[in-house]
Amino acid sequence: DAGVIQSPRHEVTEMGQEVTLRCKPISGHNSLFWYRQTMMRGLELLIYFNNNVPIDDSGMPEDRFSAKMPNASFSTLKIQPSEPRDSAVYFCASSLMGGNQPQHFGDGTRLSIL
Amino acid sequence: GEDVEQSLFLSVREGDSSVINCTYTDSSSTYLYWYKQEPGAGLQLLTYIFSNMDMKQDQRLTVLLNKKDKHLSLRIADTQTGDSAIYFCAESRSGGSYIPTFGRGTSLIVHP
């Protein structure tokens, strides 16, 4: 079975540009999570969705960050405008909702803002 | 302080046992997890333990939980070079909608 699929795997862009990260969760999973991983701050939960509805976006660092989940099989995380301090690895994860349902992670997008 | 704390590095010799330790602060934690992250990849669930258990064994992996001290450990027997990775401890609780809180991760380095 296909796991969580993220694209692109790597993104290098100049500051000020818009960046869009994409995620396809595992079919049948109804929770989706966006994380950011850096050496300084470790793994941070940015936002999560249940049944395509954003539940908690308190981890989104600034208004420059936005996330959408238009349907059960697709989500985007957008940064506009991007800044060098946004450089990190961004992970998408999905799971079934509730109880002990482990999260399944994608391989991440390594984002570098110059 | 952090909700979940781990030491950052552990170095072991191939064939020895590795013990990775984790402490957490929330006594209402329901599930405790160990994830493994290999270079260039996402986190992969290794094993988990329910808070009413003391121990769980799965092949080379042994998880020990001391609920009184809020201490969780992961023992890897006969550590191999392929075990080199970052290991994350995480906890979740029903009051937190079961969303796991992750530690900073322990980098396990296995040398010949």
Side-chain angles (χ1 to χ4, degrees):
Chain A
D1 288 340
V4 175
I5 299 172
Q6 292 186 245
S7 63
R9 287 299 314 276
H10 303 273
E11 174 89 13
V12 181
T13 192
E14 292 184 345
M15 65 177 293
Q17 298 297 308
E18 179 180 287
V19 173
T20 301
L21 310 182
R22 298 173 175 81
C23 175
K24 177 178 168 53
I26 291 173
S27 177
H29 283 187
N30 46 15
S31 292
L32 183 138
F33 309 82
W34 282 102
Y35 289 91
R36 178 171 70 176
Q37 186 179 36
T38 61
M39 288 293 293
M40 290 294 292
R41 301 172 73 93
L43 195 67
E44 301 173 274
L45 177 63
L46 301 178
I47 186 172
Y48 77 92
F49 297 82
N50 283 344
N51 293 321
N52 313 338
V53 176
I55 303 301
D56 185 354
D57 66 354
S58 60
M60 297 285 262
E62 299 171 35
D63 291 345
R64 298 184 296 106
F65 286 69
S66 62
K68 293 182 180 179
M69 192 164 185
N71 57 62
S73 59
F74 184 66
S75 177
T76 59
L77 178 67
K78 189 172 291 188
I79 309 172
Q80 166 64 20
S82 57
E83 296 183 4
R85 60 195 167 115
D86 301 331
S87 298
V89 182
Y90 290 81
F91 288 104
C92 176
S94 71
S95 73
L96 292 168
M97 196 164 41
N100 176 36
Q101 302 297 337
Q103 296 184 340
H104 297 258
F105 283 75
D107 285 336
T109 295
R110 183 172 294 275
L111 178 64
S112 296
I113 308 297
L114 306 177
Chain B
E2 301 275 343
D3 292 336
V4 179
E5 290 193 357
Q6 307 176 235
S7 53
L8 292 181
F9 297 99
L10 176 65
S11 178
V12 300
R13 184 173 298 175
E14 189 175 14
D16 288 351
S17 292
S18 308
V19 180
I20 303 172
N21 294 302
C22 168
T23 57
Y24 58 97
T25 57
D26 196 324
S27 57
S28 63
S29 294
T30 307
Y31 296 99
L32 297 121
Y33 309 84
W34 285 105
Y35 284 80
K36 177 183 181 182
Q37 183 182 27
E38 297 184 351
L43 280 68
Q44 178 186 13
L45 180 70
L46 276 181
T47 186
Y48 69 91
I49 190 167
F50 189 53
S51 59
N52 67 354
M53 299 168 64
D54 298 323
M55 186 182 87
K56 182 177 181 181
Q57 188 155 0
D58 183 2
Q59 299 182 334
R60 292 189 299 121
L61 305 180
T62 303
V63 177
L64 294 177
L65 175 61
N66 182 329
K67 199 173 178 182
K68 173 176 170 291
D69 294 338
K70 301 189 190 69
H71 181 267
L72 183 74
S73 67
L74 174 70
R75 179 177 180 270
I76 305 173
D78 186 25
T79 312
Q80 302 297 307
T81 55
D83 296 323
S84 294
I86 303 175
Y87 290 81
F88 289 87
C89 171
E91 62 86 20
S92 70
R93 67 198 90 107
S94 58
S97 302
Y98 295 106
I99 307 302
T101 300
F102 288 87
R104 296 290 298 270
T106 299
S107 289
L108 175 64
I109 301 161
V110 182
H111 55 89

